[in-house]
Amino acid sequence: MVNVKGFLRNYADSESIFKNRKVLQSNYTPLNVPYREEQINQIAGILAPSLRMERPSNIFIYGKTGTGKSLVIKHVVDQISEVAAENKINLKVVYLNCKLKRVADTEYRLIAQIGRELGQEIPPTGLPTDEVYKIFVKIIEKEKMLLLLVLDEIDEIVKNTGDKILYNLTRLNTELINSEICIVGISNDLMFIDHVDPRVRSSLSEEELVFPPYNAIQLQKILRERSNLSFEKDIVGEGVIEKCAAYAAKEHGDARRALELMRVAAELAERNNSDKILIKYIDDAEEKIERDRVLDIVSTQPKQFKITLYTILSVSEEYANKKGSQDFYTGDIYALYKENCLKTGTKPLTQRRIGDIIAELDMLGIINARVISKGRYGRTRRITLGVPENIVSKINVMLKEGLGL
DNA sequence: CGAGATTCATGTGAAGTATACCTTTAGGCTTAA
DNA sequence: AAGCCTAAAGGTATACTTCACATGAATCTCGTA
């Protein structure tokens, strides 16, 4: 424990390899967004009427993760807000990510959350949904305003709860007298809009934009630009940027991932007292990111999810040790799950529910659970792991402690 | 031997229940005039 | 009498349970070659 102080002193004395750490963090909004000028101009053009208090067309934006959708929207919206403020225009912007569990993943919660963003206390449950709509309308109608509603990952909420919300939201405009709402929908899923009600579709996607993925060259340019802002000269080792870009390009040109890789690699370099970011740190970074991502998801799950996942992971570890890896199915897991419940003193849920939980864990990408038919031997889900082997034990240990097993 | 029937284990949808939380309302208590 | 607090009543969303039916390919059955 003595050398902790030494380490801290050393840390305080040594030069950080970061010139500006924030630049590489995921919530950073750069001044200019390379290779997205066209989209920025288009969106700005579409949203500009808001500065005359006229309702702009609703926009629908498609693009894979890390293609700059959120970034561009935030960028444009920030600028518009500034200009609006200069001209004393009452323009409110609400940005919401519909994927956030227990925040905006049902109709009630989404509307309630918008209300809260606009500074109104709304209880987490208990009110009728149309009551929440009324509260919401009242807030906007209180004074003449234009509400710019940015719904990120809008496909998630529709997948969960159907397109009724979108219908209600688009219809809301016809009821409003003072104010108006403009909806900007963002989706990762290109096919998404085909599954919604045509009436909603036409009003929601009055304008459509597609964000193409970045290619490796573009990713390199982005990385270079940001690392120039973030690091002192000559910190970034030979070939590092190329490797980051290549990694990310492999994953459909995900710029967010590339930048994260860079940042984590830099942090690892710093922790190792290295004054250069070397290629070897990128591999470590890759693993660390994946681990953190999974750990983060896992740790925020409700207890029953954890027990279920713990059961699955233990079983798969056991099988891995015994070699001759076998498949396992919902029934097996449920039996063991019940045992684990007994050990932790938790009331076991029914198999019906566990089936749903397994399906949800599959959606989270932590496991793969495919429905198969074993013919004469029934129909079930075959469960396999969705995370690398070397992370599994770490998750398992964490779960074990967390559950008190 | 092959087409169709059968079968199993659980997927899946609908409807019902428990829980936690909300607002409203009415009654009781306190307080100030 | 007015004002405030509390508890009961009436209502909702969400997570979960119960019930009942659906599924789909390995296996079985049985007629036919």
Side-chain angles (χ1 to χ4, degrees):
Chain A
M1 288 303 117
V2 186
N3 50 7
V4 169
K5 209 172 197 177
F7 165 77
L8 292 174
R9 272 210 192 98
N10 198 354
Y11 186 91
D13 287 347
S14 67
E15 291 264 309
S16 168
I17 63 173
F18 284 103
K19 183 162 62 180
N20 185 350
R21 196 178 287 266
K22 270 187 291 183
V23 173
L24 281 179
Q25 280 163 1
S26 56
N27 52 4
Y28 174 78
T29 326
L31 287 173
N32 64 325
V33 190
Y35 307 109
R36 289 291 178 251
E37 292 80 9
E38 194 187 320
Q39 282 84 355
I40 290 179
N41 289 336
Q42 276 188 40
I43 294 176
I46 297 166
L47 294 183
S50 58
L51 293 173
R52 298 194 200 120
M53 281 310 263
E54 293 162 17
R55 191 185 76 82
S57 300
N58 292 329
I59 312 180
F60 209 86
I61 301 177
Y62 300 103
K64 295 263 176 68
T65 46
T67 48
K69 305 180 298 292
S70 313
L71 193 59
V72 164
I73 267 291
K74 276 183 188 160
H75 184 79
V76 174
V77 155
D78 281 354
Q79 313 266 323
I80 290 188
S81 303
E82 269 176 41
V83 179
E86 282 166 21
N87 294 313
K88 303 257 184 305
I89 287 169
N90 195 6
L91 176 78
K92 289 252 165 68
V93 178
V94 172
Y95 174 91
L96 264 186
N97 189 324
C98 305
K99 201 177 175 179
L100 294 174
K101 279 247 158 185
R102 276 151 254 278
V103 175
D105 58 347
T106 69
E107 180 171 21
Y108 180 97
R109 296 211 258 238
L110 178 71
I111 304 299
Q113 190 59 31
I114 299 171
R116 282 192 276 265
E117 297 275 332
L118 292 170
Q120 171 82 0
E121 284 287 318
I122 297 180
T125 170
L127 297 189
T129 304
D130 39 342
E131 191 61 32
V132 182
Y133 270 105
K134 274 186 210 147
I135 295 173
F136 173 52
V137 168
K138 212 166 86 192
I139 308 170
I140 346 179
E141 287 282 59
K142 206 164 52 192
E143 49 189 320
K144 188 175 173 63
M145 72 158 88
L146 213 147
L147 179 65
L148 216 54
L149 195 53
V150 183
L151 300 176
D152 207 342
E153 315 214 30
I154 198 170
D155 46 324
E156 289 291 329
I157 196 168
V158 173
K159 232 178 268 165
N160 280 334
T161 59
D163 52 12
K164 197 174 140 213
I165 310 165
L166 300 185
Y167 179 71
N168 286 338
L169 274 178
T170 49
R171 208 183 42 122
L172 218 50
N173 253 325
T174 60
E175 288 177 17
L176 296 174
I177 304 162
N178 275 330
S179 306
E180 288 185 288
I181 305 179
C182 168
I183 302 171
V184 180
I186 304 181
S187 165
N188 301 323
D189 183 356
L190 294 162
M191 307 310 294
F192 159 72
I193 200 82
D194 296 337
H195 303 305
V196 303
D197 189 305
R199 281 171 299 176
V200 177
R201 191 190 313 168
S202 61
S203 73
L204 192 62
S205 52
E206 289 166 340
E207 301 278 351
E208 273 186 37
L209 256 74
V210 176
F211 279 53
Y214 298 105
N215 62 36
I217 311 270
Q218 293 170 331
L219 286 170
Q220 282 182 28
K221 174 96 184 298
I222 294 170
L223 281 168
R224 205 156 273 138
E225 209 163 278
R226 292 265 196 121
S227 45
N228 282 344
L229 285 172
S230 188
F231 306 119
E232 299 292 349
K233 259 203 162 142
D234 299 328
I235 293 285
V236 182
E238 191 74 19
V240 166
I241 285 185
E242 286 74 9
K243 180 147 192 191
C244 278
Y247 255 130
K250 210 165 53 186
E251 301 256 335
H252 60 253
D254 186 340
R256 186 191 308 157
R257 197 174 166 75
L259 291 164
E260 197 182 6
L261 214 52
M262 194 76 184
R263 177 176 57 82
V264 175
E267 283 169 2
L268 287 175
E270 190 174 47
R271 210 165 297 169
N272 287 332
N273 275 324
S274 165
D275 53 359
K276 255 187 175 261
I277 303 171
L278 303 172
I279 285 188
K280 66 171 176 179
Y281 292 125
I282 295 179
D283 295 314
D284 298 344
E286 166 103 46
E287 194 201 311
K288 181 169 167 16
I289 288 171
E290 176 68 5
R291 180 166 13 110
D292 287 354
R293 187 184 72 85
V294 175
L295 245 44
D296 191 51
I297 295 175
V298 170
S299 62
T300 55
Q301 292 305 309
K303 194 172 183 189
Q304 295 289 2
F305 283 62
K306 285 183 180 169
I307 300 179
T308 312
L309 184 60
Y310 171 74
T311 309
I312 295 172
L313 294 183
S314 322
V315 172
S316 87
E317 258 192 337
E318 216 172 283
Y319 279 175
N321 291 339
K322 267 198 297 187
K323 291 185 187 168
S325 64
Q326 307 176 42
D327 295 330
F328 49 98
Y329 310 96
T330 308
D332 313 341
I333 295 300
Y334 184 64
L336 290 163
Y337 156 82
K338 274 206 289 199
E339 279 178 32
N340 283 335
C341 279
L342 218 62
K343 281 187 213 157
T344 52
T346 317
K347 199 175 150 224
L349 303 178
T350 52
Q351 183 157 350
R352 175 73 183 79
R353 179 64 184 143
I354 296 303
D356 282 349
I357 289 180
I358 290 176
E360 283 186 53
L361 289 172
D362 174 69
M363 294 277 271
L364 287 170
I366 298 176
I367 61 173
N368 299 312
R370 262 194 59 219
V371 179
I372 55 153
S373 176
K374 291 191 292 168
R376 188 76 172 66
Y377 304 103
R379 212 168 108 86
T380 180
R381 283 196 173 90
R382 181 197 289 135
I383 302 166
T384 52
L385 295 188
V387 293
E389 203 63 46
N390 53 350
I391 303 182
V392 170
S393 57
K394 288 194 172 123
I395 308 175
N396 223 8
V397 168
M398 188 191 83
L399 282 173
K400 199 165 186 170
E401 279 170 15
L403 295 168
L405 274 166

